[in-house]
Amino acid sequence: MYKKIICGIIIFCTIPSLYISCNQKRTPYKPKAIEGVLDLRSWDESSNQVISLDGDWEFYWNQLIEPSQFTKDLQPFTYIEVPKAWNKQGNFRYSFPAFGYATYRLHIYHDPKYVGQIKTLIMPYVHTAYTLWVNGKIISQNGKVGTSRSSMIPFQLPVITQFVINSTVTEVVLHISNFQQRTGGILRSIKYGNYNIINKQYELDLFITLFVTAALFIILLYHLGLFLVNKGYKPNLYFAFFCAIIGFRLLLTDEKLFVKIVPSLPWDMYLRMEYSTLLFAVISFAHFIDGLYPRMFNTIILRAIDIYFCLFFIFVLVVPISYVSYALIFIQIGLIVVGVYLLFIMIRATSTETTNSFIYISGNIILFFTLINDILYTQQLINSIYLFEIGLLVFVFTQSLAALEESIKIQNRLIAINSELEIARRIQKTILPEAVPSTHSIHVEACYIPMDEIGGDFYHFYELDEERLGIIIADVTGHGIPASLIASTVNIAFSLQRNHADNPATLLANMNTILYGKTGGQPITALYAYIDTSQKVVKFSRAGHPLPLIWRSSSNTITEIEIPGKILGVFKTIKNDITTYPIYSNDRIILYTDGITEIRNNRNEIFGIERFIACIEKNHHKSTRDLIDSIVDAVIQWAGSKNKITDDITLVIVEIK
C-alpha cells in the first residue's frame, strides 16, 4: 500500500517542477527593457513565443502625463523596475504608505518587417487603477485613475487587449494610482506576443483555476458524503468546509472569475471576501488537523488560532480597506506560524505511526512550501511563479487518498461489526423463549420489535404446570449491543429464580441482588406476573416498569393495576410489594414496555396510555394474535413508519381460557 502512496507522492511532487519547466520552455530567455527601451529588433516577433515587458521603465512620480504631453526635452524622473511595487524599489521607495500616482512609459523597438502586425498584451491587474495607452490610443482601463482617494475608482481585473504595430517604435504609457493597497504599481509581468499563443497561455491558466476549483468541489461533495455516512468523524466536515472556502477563494484571485461573473459589487467587497476566505481557510484547516490528531493538538493553541483569525475577520469587515491591506502581513505571519505548528503535529504523528499520517504529511508539506513560495513571491522577495494551485491540487488528492483508505478501514470495521451483530442476534434469540407456553387454561401471545438489530427488552416464562405460569417482562435503559448484553445478564438472573416462581416479590429482590453492580449503572425496569388459574388470581410485583393492564371480558373494561416498586440494578437491596388481582375466563392480562406508550409522531406527540387502552378496547373482539398485530400496526402508523421507532417494543398478552 505504501509503495503505491510513495509513487503517487513522487508523481505529484514533480508536477510543480514540470509546470515550471513547461513555463520556462514556453518563455525562454527574452529581451529586457533597459532605461525605458525594449529592443526587439533582433527578436523574431512572428514566432509563437511570449515575452514579458520586464525591465526598467521610465517613471514619473506624482505625475499623470498623457502621450501627447511628452516632449523630447522631457526627462524621466527616474527609471523603475517592472514588475515590482513602486514602494519596494531599493533606494528609491516612493511614498510610505504606498499611496500616490505615477506615469510609466516604455518604448519598444521593432524590425521594420513587423510593422502592420497585430500584437496582444495580457494586462494584469495593478494596484489599484490604471489607464493604458499604446501609440497614443487608450486600449485598456481598470477603474478610474485619480490624484486622490476621492477622485479615483479602484478596480482590479486582468485584461487581454490588442494593438497594431504602426511604426518601428511602439510607445506604451501607463497611468496608475493607488490609495488603497500597501503596495502600488505594476506587481506582475505584462505579457506580449501573438494572439494565438497569448490566448493559449490565458486559457491554460484559466483551465488550471477551473480544474482545481472543480476538483475541490468534487472533493467537497465526497467528504460531505463521508461525513453524512459517519457523522461522528468531524475531520470530513472540516475538510469539506476547507475545500469550499479555498474553491471560492480561487475564483476571487488570479483570473478573478468571480469579479467577471459579478462585476457590479464595490471593489473593496471583493478584497474583503478574498481576505476573509484566507482567514476561514486557516481556521477550518486547523480544526481538520485537530480532528485527525486530537491528542496531539493543544486545545489552548486551537482556541488561540480561532480567536486570532476571527479577530482579523472582524477587522477585515469593519476597517477601511487600506488599513486591512497593511494588516495582511500579520495574517501571513500567523499563517506561517500555524503551518509550522501543524507540520510539527503531523511529523510527531508520523513518528508514532498514527493512521494515514504519512499520506497527510506528504500533501501538507507540498501545500506548505507552495504557500511559502507564493507569499515570498507576492512580497517580491523571490523570483518565481505562483504554485499554490498546484500545491493545493496535490494536497486535496493526498487528503482524499487518505480519506479513501480510512473509509475502507471503516467499511472493514463495519463488516466486522455486522458479523458481531449477527452473533449477538443469535445469542439474543437464545435468551428469548423459542415458543410461548399454551395450556388448557392459559394462552399466551408475544411480540418483540427491537429498535436496532438487537435490543434491551426481555421477556420469559416459568411454566410450572397446566394452571400456573410465571411471566417476566423487563426493559434495560438504552438499546443496541450494550442493552442486549445487560438483557443477557437479566436472563441469567431470572433463570436462577425458579424456586421463587410463585413469589413475585422475592423473585425480583433476588434478581436485584444478582444484578447490582453488574449493569454498568444502567437501570432496569421489570414486572413479574404469577398466574394461578386454579385459584383464579394473578399476583404482580413491579420494579419501576409500566403498570400492567387487565381486560375484563364480562364488561369490556380495562383496569390499570397500581403496584409500587423500585428499579433493578441500582439499589443494593429493594423491597417489593405483591398485588393480587382476581381473574376469570376470557380475561386478558396485558404486559408491555414503554416503547409502545412513549413513541412519538411527527408532531412530537406521544402515543400515550389512553390511546393504547382505546386501541385494545376497539379490537377486543379479535383473537389474541390479531389483537397484538392491530396494536403494533397502530403504533407504527402513529410513528410514521417502522424506521421511526425510537425504542424497543415488547408486548405480551395472556388470555385466560
Side-chain angles (χ1 to χ4, degrees), residues 45 114-121 161-165 192-196:
E45 293 198 54
Y114 298 118
V115 174
Q117 284 194 0
I118 298 175
K119 291 298 177 182
T120 303
L121 295 176
T161 186
Q162 293 181 303
F163 68 93
V164 177
I165 300 175
Y192 171 90
N194 295 324
Y195 176 78
N196 57 345

Side-chain angles (χ1 to χ4, degrees), residues 180-429:
Q180 289 82 17
Q181 294 278 46
R182 61 190 171 86
T183 52
I186 306 171
L187 277 67
R188 299 191 179 196
S189 296
I190 302 173
K191 302 295 184 179
Y192 171 90
N194 295 324
Y195 176 78
N196 57 345
I197 190 64
I198 287 277
N199 190 57
K200 284 182 181 179
Q201 180 174 335
Y202 174 77
E203 288 178 347
L204 176 61
D205 294 337
L206 188 63
F207 170 78
I208 291 174
T209 299
L210 290 175
F211 179 78
V212 175
T213 304
L216 286 169
F217 179 72
I218 293 171
I219 293 170
L220 158 69
L221 296 179
Y222 172 68
H223 282 269
L224 274 180
L226 290 178
F227 174 72
L228 293 175
V229 171
N230 182 16
K231 293 184 179 179
Y233 192 65
K234 291 295 181 62
N236 285 326
L237 180 62
Y238 289 125
F239 193 70
F241 284 154
F242 175 79
C243 290
I245 294 167
I246 292 296
F248 182 58
R249 178 176 171 78
L250 289 178
L251 299 179
L252 290 166
T253 57
D254 293 331
E255 306 305 325
K256 295 189 177 292
L257 293 176
F258 184 78
V259 182
K260 294 178 181 178
I261 297 171
V262 188
S264 58
L265 296 178
W267 168 82
D268 67 312
M269 187 172 294
Y270 298 115
L271 207 58
R272 293 181 196 276
M273 287 190 291
E274 181 180 333
Y275 293 157
S276 298
T277 53
L278 178 62
L279 298 171
F280 283 112
V282 178
I283 292 173
S284 60
F285 189 70
H287 281 271
F288 166 65
I289 298 298
D290 174 59
L292 291 177
Y293 316 115
R295 296 181 181 178
M296 297 184 180
F297 208 120
N298 188 295
T299 304
I300 296 176
I301 294 179
L302 181 64
R303 295 293 170 263
I305 292 172
D306 291 342
I307 293 170
Y308 184 83
F309 288 100
C310 283
L311 287 176
F312 266 113
F313 172 66
I314 297 172
F315 182 82
V316 167
L317 288 183
V318 301
V319 172
I321 201 66
S322 57
Y323 296 105
V324 173
S325 176
Y326 276 91
L328 182 61
I329 185 65
F330 298 102
I331 296 175
Q332 292 174 336
I333 291 172
L335 185 62
I336 293 172
V337 171
V338 171
V340 171
Y341 178 70
L342 297 181
L343 279 178
F344 170 72
I345 289 177
M346 285 178 285
I347 290 171
R348 283 183 58 199
T350 304
S351 64
T352 56
E353 299 183 355
T354 303
T355 305
N356 290 327
S357 295
F358 179 81
I359 308 174
Y360 282 117
I361 195 172
S362 300
N364 277 275
I365 287 174
I366 295 171
L367 179 66
F368 179 74
F369 282 106
T370 57
L371 180 63
I372 296 298
N373 170 85
D374 285 13
I375 291 175
L376 295 177
Y377 182 45
T378 301
Q379 296 294 328
Q380 298 187 327
L381 298 175
I382 62 172
N383 184 19
S384 180
I385 63 172
Y386 286 97
L387 293 173
F388 181 71
E389 291 182 359
I390 302 298
L392 186 63
L393 188 60
V394 176
F395 169 75
V396 295
F397 175 81
T398 56
Q399 306 316 298
S400 298
L401 182 65
L404 177 60
E405 184 177 348
E406 185 66 25
S407 178
I408 292 171
K409 290 181 179 179
I410 291 173
Q411 291 297 324
N412 291 334
R413 286 199 294 269
L414 287 175
I415 292 172
I417 290 172
N418 285 332
S419 177
E420 293 171 359
L421 280 173
E422 181 59 35
I423 295 173
R425 281 193 293 269
R426 291 199 298 267
I427 292 174
Q428 187 169 45
K429 285 183 180 179

Side-chain angles (χ1 to χ4, degrees), residues 62-76:
N62 279 349
Q63 300 179 69
L64 296 178
I65 307 170
E66 295 189 6
S68 60
Q69 296 173 330
F70 282 98
T71 60
K72 291 183 179 180
D73 58 348
L74 181 65
Q75 297 297 317

Side-chain angles (χ1 to χ4, degrees), residues 527-544:
L527 178 73
Y528 182 74
Y530 169 69
I531 302 170
D532 188 344
T533 57
S534 63
Q535 300 295 321
K536 295 184 179 180
V537 295
V538 56
K539 296 179 180 180
F540 296 105
S541 194
R542 173 175 168 265

